[in-house]
Structure formats: structure tokens, C-alpha cells
Amino acid sequence: MAANFWTSSHCKQLLDPEDVELVPAADRERGITPEEFRLVKIHMSFHIWRLAQQVKVRQRVIATAVTYFRRVYTRKSMSEYDPRLVAPTCLYLASKVEESTVQARLLVFYIKKMCGSDDKYRFEIKDILEMEMKLLEALDYYLVVFHPYRPLLQLLQDAGITDLTQFA
């Protein structure tokens, strides 16, 4: 990974904000508005965060999972890839990439625990493993995510503001 964001491959993959918020044609045909599209992404990002709290992964894994989730839906539609399955699969993939592996069966257990009797969230281990391959293809096997945590901590140290380090 590059030490400087501006020279990293992540920077080269950036999209304009208008491109990120575009609703794919398949979703537009189903009547999904840009506002609904944005709200689903926010809701499912929160779902990733709640699930991550259950399985006890680091903040970096959560940030990577949310980034993968948002990247997938710049290329694929929600009618093509169910966000309820994509979200935990992004967390599973991010945990592997960030070397903090969470077992798929643990994710399935906590999804069932969190969502109770809601059949829309009933997934098996094989569903997550199959979706992982689809996500890798949707992401074009591009898994590099540059997080600003380390440069931010360095900036705080250089500025002599060490009391904000925990919040950063």
C-alpha cells in the first residue's frame, strides 16, 4: 500500500460525488429514487457497523467493509445484488483483507441473533461464500483501501494535540 494517498492506486479509483450517487438503471426502472438509494446505503452501512460490533472487529475492518459496500453499488444495482447479503459479505471480505478474519458461520449466527425471525435476513454460510466471489468480480478484484488513520495521528502529533488522539 502506498504511504501517500495522492500517489496511491486508491486515489486513481476515485469517482466524482455525482457518479457515486447515481442510481443504476435497473434500480431506476424499479422506481428507486436517488434519495431512497442513498438511504439504503446509509442504513446498510449502519447494519455493517452493528454486525461488526457483535463480532468484535477493529474500526479499520468496518471502514473497509463500508467502502467495499459503497464501491459495489457504484457498479451494480441493488436489484441485482441484495444489500442484506452484500453487507455481511463485505464485512467478511474486509476482515480477510485487513487480516482480522471472522468466520462466516459467526456472521450468520449474529445476523440471526440481531434480525430474529425476519426471513429477509436468513442467510446460510454458503450464501456469504458465494456472494464473496461475486463481490470480488464486482470490485474488479481491487481491494486496496487507503484509510486516513495513520496520517491523521501523525498530524495530531506534529501539531502537539495529543489529547484528541483517542477520538481520531
Side-chain angles (χ1 to χ4, degrees):
M1 176 184 285
N4 183 345
F5 173 76
W6 304 110
T7 61
S8 71
S9 55
H10 183 163
C11 181
K12 294 178 180 93
Q13 294 280 328
L14 285 179
L15 298 171
D16 290 328
E18 303 86 42
D19 296 335
V20 172
E21 298 302 324
L22 278 179
V23 179
D27 290 337
R28 267 195 316 269
E29 290 170 7
R30 293 186 63 202
I32 296 176
T33 65
E35 181 64 15
E36 291 170 333
F37 189 67
R38 188 178 72 77
L39 290 174
V40 168
K41 289 194 289 188
I42 290 170
H43 173 74
M44 295 313 293
S45 295
F46 182 65
H47 180 68
I48 289 171
W49 180 80
R50 283 191 353 233
L51 185 56
Q53 297 302 310
Q54 294 290 318
V55 295
K56 300 194 180 2
V57 293
R58 298 174 306 167
Q59 175 62 34
R60 187 176 187 91
V61 175
I62 300 169
T64 301
V66 171
T67 302
Y68 289 165
F69 185 82
R70 294 185 60 82
R71 281 183 186 175
V72 165
Y73 290 114
T74 60
R75 298 181 173 118
K76 299 293 181 183
S77 72
M78 290 187 183
S79 55
E80 190 176 2
Y81 287 6
D82 184 357
R84 293 174 297 230
L85 179 56
V86 170
T89 307
C90 284
L91 184 60
Y92 177 66
L93 182 59
S95 74
K96 289 169 114 178
V97 169
E98 296 294 341
E99 298 177 355
S100 185
T101 306
V102 173
Q103 295 178 354
R105 67 179 172 79
L106 193 61
L107 287 173
V108 169
F109 171 78
Y110 281 112
I111 291 169
K112 288 178 181 175
K113 184 178 174 185
M114 286 171 40
C115 300
S117 62
D118 191 350
D119 287 339
K120 294 177 185 175
Y121 286 89
R122 288 244 182 250
F123 300 113
E124 299 301 323
I125 297 169
K126 71 175 182 61
D127 298 325
I128 290 178
L129 298 178
E130 288 171 7
M131 182 54 76
E132 180 187 19
M133 292 301 124
K134 292 178 183 178
L135 285 184
L136 286 169
E137 288 177 22
L139 295 169
D140 292 330
Y141 301 93
Y142 177 71
L143 304 175
V144 175
V145 176
F146 184 90
H147 293 293
Y149 301 123
R150 193 173 300 146
L152 179 59
L153 292 175
Q154 185 63 47
L155 175 70
L156 291 174
Q157 283 179 347
D158 291 350
I161 310 173
T162 56
D163 54 332
L164 293 178
T165 304
Q166 187 64 33
F167 295 112

